Amino acid sequence: MVERQIMMAEEGKADEQLFGLLSNLLQQVEALTNQEEVELRAKIEALGLEVRKVPSKSAQPLDELEIAKELDKLSAKLDDVDEMICSTMSADPDVRSLLSSTADVWMPVITATSDERRNFTAPIENDN
């Protein structure tokens, strides 16, 4: 039980780092374009809340069909985010450059398995 709580806390740190990075990238995009991206910010925040949400304990375990439906919902949300990112990248070369130059930071986080994400640590920034 304690080990599971520790693992969940570590996953939460990786999630927090990812959504912090996404928020920072969005701020940079907004600064570069002089436009506030309200819709994209709201979707990133909603996705962050969804990822961090603790599933409720159901009285009955989900069957395969219910699991498939939930996975379809999550896939649709990720498709929406992907579409927004792609359309923004194609419309704005500054956004494309920013995302491309930071891909080594955010791509491993979003493509990692839960076991790999547990092993992530925050980078140590050195101002020297």
Side-chain angles (χ1 to χ4, degrees):
M1 176 90 175
V2 172
E3 289 177 3
R4 179 160 171 76
Q5 289 174 334
I6 291 171
M7 290 179 3
M8 288 175 65
E10 290 172 352
E11 284 180 15
K13 289 176 188 175
D15 292 339
E16 188 175 318
Q17 288 173 346
L18 172 63
F19 287 99
L21 174 64
L22 289 174
S23 180
N24 288 337
L25 287 173
L26 183 57
Q27 288 173 353
Q28 291 178 31
V29 167
E30 290 173 336
L32 288 171
T33 62
N34 256 353
Q35 282 186 284
E36 190 174 5
E37 297 289 340
V38 177
E39 183 181 346
L40 183 55
R41 181 172 304 285
K43 289 192 177 191
I44 289 172
E45 288 172 3
L47 185 60
L49 290 173
E50 189 72 26
V51 167
R52 293 180 190 104
K53 186 169 38 174
V54 176
S56 61
K57 293 186 178 184
S58 61
Q60 301 173 357
L62 296 176
D63 64 17
E64 288 183 32
L65 185 59
E66 290 169 326
I67 292 171
K69 286 179 185 176
E70 289 300 314
L71 288 173
D72 287 343
K73 287 179 191 176
L74 289 174
S75 291
K77 288 179 184 181
L78 288 174
D79 288 344
D80 289 345
V81 171
D82 182 51
E83 175 59 34
M84 284 189 304
I85 290 171
C86 289
S87 65
T88 304
M89 283 180 63
S90 65
D92 191 332
D94 290 332
V95 173
R96 185 178 325 120
S97 174
L98 181 63
L99 289 175
S100 296
S101 67
T102 59
D104 61 321
V105 176
W106 57 267
M107 277 300 287
V109 176
I110 63 174
T111 59
T113 64
S114 59
D115 288 335
E116 291 169 334
R117 293 175 73 206
R118 282 187 206 102
N119 295 323
F120 289 155
T121 58
I124 299 172
E125 294 186 20
N126 190 351
D127 292 337
N128 292 338

